Amino acid sequence: MTASYILALDQGTTSSRAILFDRRGRMLQVAQKEFTQIYPRPGWVEHSPDEIFDTQAHVARDCLRQAGVQGHELAAVGITNQRETTVVWDRAGGAPVYNAIVWQDRRTAAVCDRLRAEGKAEIIRQKTGLVLDAYFSGTKIGWILDNVPGARARAEAGELLFGTVDSWLIWNFSKRGAHLTDPSNASRTLLFNIHTGQWDDELLDLLGVPRAMLPEVVPSSSLMTRVHPEFFGHPVPVAGAAGDQQAAAFGNACLHEGMVKNTYGTGCFLLLNTGARPRESRNNLLATVAWETPRGRSYALEGSVFAGGAVVQWLRDGLGFIRDSSEMEGLAASVPDNGGVYLVPAFTGLGAPHWDQYARGILVGLTRGTERGHIARAAIEAIALQTLDVMEAMRADAGLDLSLLRVDGGASRNNMLMQCQADLTGVGVERPVVTETTALGAACLAGLAVGFWQDEQEAASLWQLDRRFEPKMPEERRAELLHHWCRAVERSRRWIETEE
C-alpha cells in the first residue's frame, strides 16, 4: 500500500478537529476550530449543522495542508463524533430544517415523563439498553417533526432525513452520496434494537419517527463510502465511524472483556467492555454497542457524566473565574484541601447513575474563609467524584473487581485530577502517550478496514503508557469526601419542580 496516513475527523461538542496519524499511531498534525454554542432557552442547547460541517471540512483541509500531505497519500478517513446530537435535513437540497439539538439538551424531558407514566420505559430499556431520557436522539427527532411547520408531513413523505453527526458528515463529505451510520451511534437513538442490530418498528411507532428518515446501519470498520474529490483532490475511502466514547475505548485498546476507560471531555464517559453480549444493568447504567468489526459486534456498559471538562469551561467562560483552563491545576494546588466546599455541576441535570433531568448545579459549604483555590479544587474533585459514582455502579453490575482505569481526553492531562481519580476510586489510573484516543480509535477502525493495520492486535499495540497514578489518599479522608459529596448531590436533585 502506497498510502502512508490515516486522517481522523473528530467532531466534538465544542470544536471540530482533524488529526493525521501514521502507521505507528503517532499524531503528526492536528487542526482544530471551535464553533458556536447556541442556548435559546434554559436547558436548551443547539448547534448549527452547517457550521459543524464547515468547521470540520476546514480543519480537515488545514491539517493536510500543514502536514504537506496530499489526498492520494491517505489510506482512509475515520470519523468520530459527539453522540445523540440530532440533525434533520432535506433529502433533495441538503439543508437542515432546524438547528442540531445537542445531546445536553433537556427540552424533551416532559415527553420522557409522559412515556414513563404510560409504562413505556421498560420496553425501551429491554430493546435498546438505554434509560428513557431526553439525552438520547429519539425524542429530539420527534420535537423537530412536531415543532417545525410541515416537517412531520414531509418526513412521512420521505423528504427529510435524520442523522446523528456522523451521518451528517458522511452525507456532506460524499456530496449527498451516502446516508449511513454505524451501530455505536445507532444504539444511542432509542430506536435501535441492540439485540437484533436493526431499527425497531415498535420503537419507531412509539416515538413517531418515520423509517424513511433513518440511515442505513453498516459496521463501524468497513468501506462505507468515499470522500468526494472536491475536498482532498482524491476519492479517499471513509472506512471507520464510531461515537466518540466507543472510539475512545477502541483507541485506548480496551478490546477485551473487563477493560474499562474514562474519557474526560465536555462530559465524562466510562465504558466497560462486556464482550459479545450486552449486559443488563441493575444500577442505571446503559448497555450499548461498542463497535462492529469483521470479527463481530462488541458491547459495553456505559455511565455518562454530563459535565466533566464543561465544569472548567463554565468557570472560564461563564464566570470569568480563570482566563485559561491551564490555570486550574495551579489554583487548586494553592490550598491544602477543598475547605469544605463541594460543587455539583448538574447544569443540564445528572447523568448516570442518578438520571435526574430536573437536578441543577449547586455550590455548597461556602464560608467567609473560602478562597478561589477552594472552588477550583472543588471543581476538580467534582469531576472525579462523579466518575466514582459511575464506577461503583459499574462494579456492582459487572460483578468484577475493576482494578485499572485507562483515561483519555483533554482533562486527563491534569495531573491533580488524575491523582484525585486514583485516590477516590482506589485503583490505578493509566494515561497513554496519545491522550487523543477518540481520534486514534476512529483511525484504527478505518485503518483495519483497508488493511493499513493487519488486525486488532496490531492496532492495540499502538497504545503506549505515559504515566500511571496510584492511590495515595488515607481511607478516612476518602470516606469524608464521599460522605459530603453524597449530601451535596442530594441537595441538587429535583431542583426544578416543573418543566422549564
Side-chain angles (χ1 to χ4, degrees):
M1 179 181 289
T2 57
S4 303
Y5 310 102
I6 299 284
L7 182 65
L9 305 181
D10 183 357
Q11 204 299 301
T13 306
T14 58
S15 69
S16 296
R17 294 188 299 169
I19 303 180
L20 190 69
F21 291 94
D22 67 7
R23 289 185 187 276
R24 295 171 62 186
R26 296 177 301 184
M27 296 195 316
L28 303 181
Q29 190 67 53
V30 180
Q32 178 171 342
K33 188 174 180 61
E34 293 190 357
F35 56 88
T36 308
Q37 305 295 304
I38 303 167
Y39 306 102
R41 289 175 53 183
W44 292 28
V45 189
E46 297 176 0
H47 295 155
S48 162
D50 289 331
E51 190 178 8
I52 285 175
F53 178 69
D54 289 345
T55 55
Q56 191 64 74
H58 172 82
V59 296
R61 290 189 180 106
D62 200 37
C63 182
L64 296 182
R65 180 186 58 80
Q66 292 180 41
V69 169
Q70 302 297 313
H72 66 85
E73 297 179 86
L74 295 177
V77 168
I79 293 175
T80 184
N81 55 283
Q82 54 169 314
R83 304 171 305 171
E84 298 94 17
T85 295
T86 299
V87 186
V88 175
W89 68 92
D90 178 72
R91 181 190 295 269
V97 302
Y98 190 79
N99 276 338
I101 301 181
V102 180
W103 58 272
Q104 300 160 310
D105 191 280
R106 310 308 298 169
R107 76 186 66 189
T108 60
V111 175
C112 295
D113 287 343
R114 174 179 58 78
L115 290 169
R116 194 175 294 107
E118 294 172 357
K120 306 301 184 183
E122 182 59 20
I123 188 65
I124 289 174
R125 186 194 62 78
Q126 288 177 3
K127 291 192 171 193
T128 69
L130 308 177
V131 300
L132 178 54
D133 191 83
Y135 174 33
F136 304 106
S137 309
T139 58
K140 295 176 170 66
I141 304 169
W143 189 94
I144 292 174
L145 297 186
D146 291 335
N147 287 272
V148 174
R152 182 164 291 282
R154 294 185 64 204
E156 291 173 351
E159 298 175 9
L160 299 184
L161 300 178
F162 151 73
T164 42
V165 171
D166 59 313
S167 296
W168 174 243
L169 295 180
I170 290 170
W171 171 264
N172 282 282
F173 273 114
S174 66
K175 299 297 286 186
R176 307 173 192 172
H179 184 215
L180 306 172
T181 190
D182 91 296
S184 72
N185 279 293
S187 69
R188 314 296 294 191
T189 61
L190 295 176
L191 305 172
F192 185 77
N193 189 316
I194 62 172
H195 306 283
T196 65
Q198 303 290 329
W199 299 117
D200 190 281
D201 287 327
E202 184 178 7
L203 298 176
L204 293 174
D205 183 63
L206 181 64
L207 295 178
V209 176
R211 178 177 276 273
M213 299 181 70
L214 302 178
E216 179 186 356
V217 182
V218 299
S220 314
S221 180
S222 63
L223 184 57
M224 299 175 175
T225 185
R226 293 183 183 273
V227 176
H228 193 278
E230 168 187 315
F231 295 99
F232 306 141
H234 188 77
V236 182
V238 177
D244 51 9
Q245 303 315 317
Q246 290 96 328
F250 202 90
N252 236 326
C254 293
L255 305 184
H256 304 292
E257 186 173 354
M259 298 186 73
V260 61
K261 71 88 195 177
N262 192 29
T263 296
Y264 299 81
T266 301
C268 290
F269 301 87
L270 270 81
L271 259 74
L272 170 67
N273 188 324
T274 61
R277 292 183 302 158
R279 181 170 298 189
E280 183 176 337
S281 173
R282 300 176 304 278
N283 293 279
N284 291 324
L285 300 181
L286 309 177
T288 193
V289 175
W291 47 75
E292 185 176 335
T293 70
R295 291 182 57 197
R297 193 179 307 132
S298 294
Y299 293 88
L301 274 177
E302 177 178 331
S304 306
V305 171
F306 293 160
V311 180
V312 178
Q313 187 180 38
W314 170 68
L315 288 172
R316 183 192 67 191
D317 302 338
L319 299 187
F321 186 82
I322 53 175
R323 291 186 300 274
D324 189 86
S325 301
S326 61
E327 298 174 32
M328 280 294 290
E329 188 168 359
L331 188 58
S334 68
V335 292
D337 54 44
N338 65 13
V341 176
Y342 293 82
L343 170 64
V344 182
F347 306 131
T348 56
L350 286 170
H354 311 287
W355 292 108
D356 185 345
Q357 52 197 354
Y358 299 113
R360 289 297 179 266
I362 62 168
L363 185 64
V364 295
L366 301 176
T367 68
R368 185 62 183 83
T370 299
E371 302 174 6
R372 293 174 69 240
H374 294 126
I375 295 174
R377 184 175 282 262
I380 288 175
E381 290 177 351
I383 299 172
L385 285 160
Q386 289 179 104
T387 298
L388 172 64
D389 287 346
V390 175
M391 199 159 179
E392 289 300 304
M394 198 167 276
R395 279 173 166 150
D397 272 342
L400 299 173
D401 181 19
L402 306 179
S403 59
L404 176 66
L405 177 65
R406 285 188 169 176
V407 299
D408 60 85
S412 70
R413 292 188 286 270
N414 185 312
N415 290 333
M416 176 177 283
L417 172 59
M418 293 300 96
Q419 185 59 55
C420 183
Q421 194 69 83
D423 288 340
L424 290 169
T425 56
V427 304
V429 171
E430 288 189 345
R431 181 174 64 198
V433 172
V434 176
T435 56
E436 302 299 342
T437 56
T438 300
L440 179 59
C444 287
L445 288 166
L448 288 170
V450 297
F452 193 76
W453 291 294
Q454 182 176 354
D455 52 31
E456 292 184 15
Q457 183 176 353
E458 183 181 3
S461 72
L462 303 176
W463 189 94
Q464 294 181 317
L465 178 67
D466 168 56
R467 180 171 172 182
R468 182 180 171 104
F469 298 83
E470 297 289 354
K472 297 179 181 178
M473 182 179 288
E475 180 57 33
E476 298 78 13
R477 176 57 179 161
R478 178 177 180 271
E480 180 185 7
L481 284 167
L482 297 184
H483 172 70
H484 292 300
W485 167 252
C486 290
R487 294 177 64 211
V489 168
E490 188 56 35
R491 282 157 174 77
S492 78
R493 300 196 64 183
R494 300 173 296 277
W495 184 260
I496 301 300
E497 295 177 321
T498 58
E499 176 60 16
E500 296 165 327

